[in-house]
């Protein structure tokens, strides 16, 4: 149903949540039901849920590995797709930049898929460390 | 996490009753699968028909279960929903697993084994 996006073409959605896997699961349910998602096709919604799950769970697992914290998610439906900005106050990305996201080369890898999926499914990904915050910005193309 | 099993000669069927295997449930999924498959025959078929969402943690847990079962038993999959199929395809794990279109096909295909 594209109604909300038709009436409010610049609709923006913000959500703050605790950085843990259960809160991420609940948060994803809110995100999937949000205005910016209403404008997307079913396939695009699936892609966006995969990307956001990987980004948010990475923050919970790595940026906040030493203790609890919050994540602020901001989404906007734009002509190019779904624009996403994700902020947290956890640890800086190692080396000051997000992983390249190369597909794991082992025979049966149990991990390392997350950044591969994020890199494959997004465009224009930028990362900044600013005022003690990690700011990740990207577009999930329509 | 809720998993339901049915045992046939040489095949253990496991139906995932939850709609997600994600970072919040991946470890529990792996542990329950380990417990349920202890005395399994040569084939374990995991029916993912009710699973609407799988993230990289869930995918990693399914790969881990496959490794737990090897070398004597094999893990096969059935009934992938569109989002789950997409994650398997993007990560190329669809080429690693035998994936059946439905659970009935998975069971029928095993009659020769």
């Amino acid at each position: 149903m594209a109604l909300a996006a038709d009436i409010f073409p610049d609709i923006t959605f913000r959500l703050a949540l605790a950085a843990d896997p259960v809160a991420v699961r609940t948060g994803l349910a809110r995100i999937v039901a949000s205005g910016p998602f209403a404008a997307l096709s079913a396939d695009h919604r699936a892609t966006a849920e995969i990307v956001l799950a990987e980004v948010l769970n990475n923050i919970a697992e790595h940026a906040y590995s030493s203790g609890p914290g919050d994540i602020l998610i901001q989404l906007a439906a734009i002509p190019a797709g779904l624009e996403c900005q994700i902020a947290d106050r956890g640890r800086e990305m190692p080396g000051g930049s997000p992983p390249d996201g190369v597909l794991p080369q082992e025979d049966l890898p149990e991990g390392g898929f997350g950044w591969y999926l994020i890199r494959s499914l997004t465009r224009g990904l930028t990362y900044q460390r600013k005022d003690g915050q990690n700011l990740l910005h990207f577009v999930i193309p329509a | 996490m809720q998993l339901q099993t049915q045992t046939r000669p040489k095949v253990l069927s496991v139906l995932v009753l939850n709609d997600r295997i994600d970072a919040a449930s991946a470890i529990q999924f792996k542990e329950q699968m380990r417990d349920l498959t202890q005395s399994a025959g040569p084939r374990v078929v995991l029916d993912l028909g009710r699973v609407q969402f799988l993230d990289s943690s869930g995918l990693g847990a399914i790969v881990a279960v496959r490794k737990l079962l090897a070398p004597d038993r094999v893990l096969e999959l059935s009934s992938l929903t569109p989002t789950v199929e997409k994650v398997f395809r993007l990560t190329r794990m669809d080429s690693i697993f035998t994936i059946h279109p439905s659970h009935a096909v998975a069971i029928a295909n095993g009659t020769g084994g």
Side-chain angles (χ1 to χ4, degrees), chain A:
Chain A
M1 167 173 132
L3 200 60
D6 289 343
I7 297 169
F8 307 108
D10 56 350
I11 186 165
T12 298
F13 173 83
R14 284 190 191 83
L15 178 68
L17 56 84
D20 70 72
V22 174
V24 166
R25 180 193 277 176
T26 313
L28 284 169
R30 311 282 314 177
I31 288 168
V32 169
S34 72
F37 263 63
L40 310 180
S41 68
D43 187 54
H44 195 194
R45 267 202 295 277
T47 301
E49 187 176 7
I50 293 166
V51 170
L52 291 167
E54 298 304 331
V55 168
L56 301 178
N57 281 314
N58 270 328
I59 293 170
E61 187 179 350
H62 300 292
Y64 288 118
S65 59
S66 56
D70 296 311
I71 308 174
L72 181 63
I73 300 142
Q74 189 169 309
L75 307 175
I78 61 168
L82 183 71
E83 185 181 16
C84 310
Q85 181 168 293
I86 317 292
D88 69 78
R89 293 188 172 278
R91 270 194 306 151
E92 187 176 1
M93 291 267 189
S97 61
D100 292 339
V102 178
L103 198 60
Q105 295 303 306
E106 310 147 57
D107 269 0
L108 289 171
E110 290 177 39
F113 299 115
W115 271 99
Y116 173 79
L117 289 168
I118 296 165
R119 293 279 192 190
S120 306
L121 299 173
T122 62
R123 296 287 176 273
L125 187 136
T126 61
Y127 168 75
Q128 276 184 289
R129 180 77 183 181
K130 202 173 165 188
D131 306 325
Q133 280 193 89
N134 296 311
L135 297 172
L136 200 60
H137 183 269
F138 52 86
V139 172
I140 302 166

Side-chain angles (χ1 to χ4, degrees), chain B residues 40-56:
Chain B
R43 294 176 73 213
V44 177
V45 179
L46 184 66
D47 184 344
L48 294 171
R50 296 196 186 184
V51 178
Q52 302 297 321
F53 186 78
L54 178 80
D55 64 14
S56 66

